[in-house]
Amino acid sequence: MSATSGAVWGRAEQQDFRSRVRGTLLGTAVGDALGGPVDGLTLEEIRAAHGPEGLVDLGYGYGYGRRGAVTHHTQLTLFTVDGLIRAQVRRDTGAWHPPTDLHRAYLRWAATQRDWGPDERRKEDGWLAREEWLYARREPTRSLLLGLGDERMGTLESPKNPDDMGPEAVARSAPFGLLVGWEPQLVVQLAVECSAQTHGHPTACLSAGAYAVIVHGLARGQSLDGSVQQALALLAARPGHQPVSDALQHALGAVRQGMPSPGRVEELTGDGAADGMLAAAVYCALVGEDVRHGLSLAVNQAGPSAVAGALTGGLLGALHGETALPPAWVAELEGRQTILELADDFSMEMTQGPALHSPVGASPGWLARYPR
């Protein structure tokens, strides 16, 4: 596994990459925040509450007392980014096992769900774990809490929750796709291994891998259709891929079946498992006239709306960059400054990492933010 050297990045490439990183993380959060207030509602209930067009603007999520509130999907996505940066920094020590660094990051998230607030004495936690707003408990699923409830790391050979096909691991996997200096098959592998830490069923793991590598293609400037085709090609070599491959093919076929509708999205989501939510997000990102339309289509249906919004937002943000996101939604987004700060740190690490740290020296400020 390797990272892109900062020496190969020109200014234009750095700016484009930064925009796509920001777009991916903000898009995930905006979609999550948009879908949160209607998560679990039927289309009829959504329309009764928000009018005949359904939900078309940010609402007050889960009684959290503010517009633009995010759920655990965004929280875990941010800790995925934190773990990836920490993995890069730890390479200088000769320790290079990204799944372990991601597991440590997810355990830091799990601590936010148990503690009242950050412990300033634990400097090894880094800066993200000291952000007080991340300590809000936002409906984490039982599988997440069980999977990260002890120190044992789930692996492909011994996964946590091996029968769980839920979409939560997929919803935190967009940052793996931002490792644009990695080969696509390695991006798939990392996302699959990290899914096994909480959702060990092959369908959940391979859906996470497929989503990550689709984002990877988009972050590299490919089209969405081309990125999905690449994911299908990579999935074909993996045992147990058929449900995920079929779901993606179903999404591509649905694009040619006339005007998009909530019914078509609900058909793709099925029972809300990982493969169906992946398919629905790909469909909404493909047929959406713009980001607002794609996200509205994703959340106005009877499936898990927060997941659908988060996955669709991650795809559209990676495809178009941050400036394509609705400015009014971004402005009201909970944790926006933290998300932007983390996105820019990730971009800096991936493009200029050797200037920030090396086996022989490092920036003290950077190591305070991302301890080895």
Side-chain angles (χ1 to χ4, degrees), residues 7-362:
V8 304
W9 292 82
R11 181 175 296 275
E13 289 83 2
Q14 288 188 39
Q15 291 176 343
D16 179 72
F17 179 61
R18 179 173 176 263
S19 175
R20 292 181 192 271
V21 172
R22 282 182 158 208
T24 302
L25 300 187
L26 288 171
T28 297
V30 164
D32 183 29
L34 183 68
V38 295
D39 205 74
L41 300 183
T42 66
L43 181 61
E44 290 72 23
E45 290 170 332
I46 294 172
R47 287 175 171 169
H50 298 281
E53 294 184 9
L55 184 66
V56 295
D57 199 1
L58 292 180
Y60 285 82
Y62 294 117
Y64 294 153
R66 61 157 294 153
R67 285 162 56 91
V70 300
T71 78
H72 63 278
H73 304 306
T74 296
Q75 293 176 341
L76 275 162
T77 297
L78 300 184
F79 277 94
T80 299
V81 178
D82 180 64
L84 290 173
I85 297 174
R86 297 274 286 264
Q88 292 295 108
V89 173
R90 280 175 57 82
R91 288 186 73 185
D92 298 337
T93 69
W96 178 237
H97 191 247
T100 297
D101 291 300
L102 268 297
H103 185 241
R104 290 171 177 152
Y106 295 148
L107 290 179
R108 290 193 290 275
W109 169 81
T112 69
Q113 304 301 287
R114 298 189 301 267
D115 298 344
W116 288 103
D119 186 342
E120 299 294 339
R121 296 169 297 179
R122 294 204 302 260
K123 301 302 183 185
E124 69 275 10
D125 284 348
W127 77 275
L128 186 66
R130 293 196 289 272
E131 292 288 295
E132 291 190 10
W133 71 276
L134 287 170
Y135 284 73
R137 188 156 176 164
R138 297 292 167 79
E139 312 294 327
T141 63
R142 185 169 182 269
S143 295
L144 290 170
L145 297 177
L146 285 176
L148 301 170
D150 57 39
E151 295 290 324
R152 183 181 78 81
M153 183 176 77
T155 64
L156 293 179
E157 294 73 26
S158 181
K160 293 287 189 74
N161 302 310
D163 298 323
D164 199 312
M165 298 170 60
E168 290 80 19
V170 186
R172 66 175 184 249
S173 293
F176 299 126
L178 299 174
L179 296 168
V180 295
W182 289 32
E183 292 301 315
Q185 61 268 29
L186 295 180
V187 170
V188 173
Q189 183 65 23
L190 181 57
V192 165
E193 290 188 32
C194 290
S195 173
Q197 296 175 11
T198 59
H199 292 72
H201 192 284
T203 295
C205 292
L206 291 174
S207 295
Y211 183 67
V213 84
I214 293 170
V215 172
H216 187 253
L218 299 176
R220 284 179 154 187
Q222 298 174 14
S223 69
L224 179 51
D225 184 82
S227 298
V228 173
Q229 296 296 343
Q230 177 177 253
L232 286 167
L234 290 168
L235 285 174
R238 290 181 171 263
H241 75 91
Q242 205 62 55
V244 183
S245 295
D246 289 348
L248 286 173
Q249 293 284 13
H250 192 188
L252 294 177
V255 173
R256 300 186 290 272
Q257 294 175 0
M259 292 290 291
S261 67
R264 193 157 288 123
V265 178
E266 289 181 10
E267 178 192 359
L268 290 167
T269 61
D271 59 1
D275 53 336
M277 300 312 299
L278 171 65
V282 166
Y283 172 78
C284 292
L286 280 168
V287 301
E289 297 172 3
D290 54 23
V291 172
R292 185 185 292 267
H293 178 233
L295 287 176
S296 296
L297 186 63
V299 304
N300 282 289
Q301 43 86 25
S305 295
V307 172
L311 293 176
T312 303
L315 294 176
L316 291 170
L319 177 62
H320 298 297
E322 65 170 322
T323 57
L325 302 174
W329 291 359
V330 173
E332 293 197 71
L333 185 62
E334 181 182 29
R336 176 173 61 93
Q337 286 305 122
T338 302
I339 296 169
L340 288 171
E341 191 172 350
L342 187 64
D344 290 349
D345 279 1
F346 182 87
S347 300
M348 190 180 304
E349 174 62 42
M350 294 302 142
T351 61
Q352 303 175 56
L356 295 168
H357 56 85
S358 70
V360 296

